[in-house]
Amino acid sequence: MFDVNTFTMDNITDVTVAFANETGDYYFVIWTDSTRAALIIYLMVLLFVGLIGNLVALLGSIFHHAIKTDKISVVMLRDLAITDIFLTIFLYIPLLSTLIEKRW
């Protein structure tokens, strides 16, 4: 069984692993720099595309009335864009900063 209290960076191998302790808390350990770099690049692309795409959809539907459909669909599109922007800000940015800093 894995003991969180005795975990050190000295006994790291070349794998990425997910495991749970006795209380059911999950720990995700990324042990290789190449895996971390791939996740950082993926999250940066996800962040950029998500923010730009949602802002274009949101601004296009609010200011330019570029989406010609019924009002309910436009309201749902606006709500989805706003929700996805909040998800990007409050989930992906902290995850990206955690990966870059190598600590929580």
Side-chain angles (χ1 to χ4, degrees), residues 17-53:
V17 107
F19 48 86
N21 64 1
E22 297 85 20
T23 61
D25 297 329
Y26 283 94
Y27 294 92
F28 295 96
V29 179
I30 300 168
W31 288 333
T32 63
D33 288 336
S34 60
T35 306
R36 246 185 72 251
L39 283 173
I40 288 171
I41 291 170
Y42 172 73
L43 283 174
M44 284 182 167
V45 169
L46 189 71
L47 186 72
F48 179 74
V49 170
L51 285 178
I52 296 298

Side-chain angles (χ1 to χ4, degrees), residues 63-88:
F63 295 117
H64 302 292
H65 303 290
I67 301 171
K68 303 290 183 196
T69 184
D70 59 317
K71 286 188 174 191
I72 293 174
S73 297
V74 172
V75 168
M76 287 178 63
L77 177 74
R78 288 178 191 168
D79 289 346
L80 274 172
I82 291 170
T83 304
D84 198 28
I85 289 171
F86 282 137
L87 177 77
T88 302

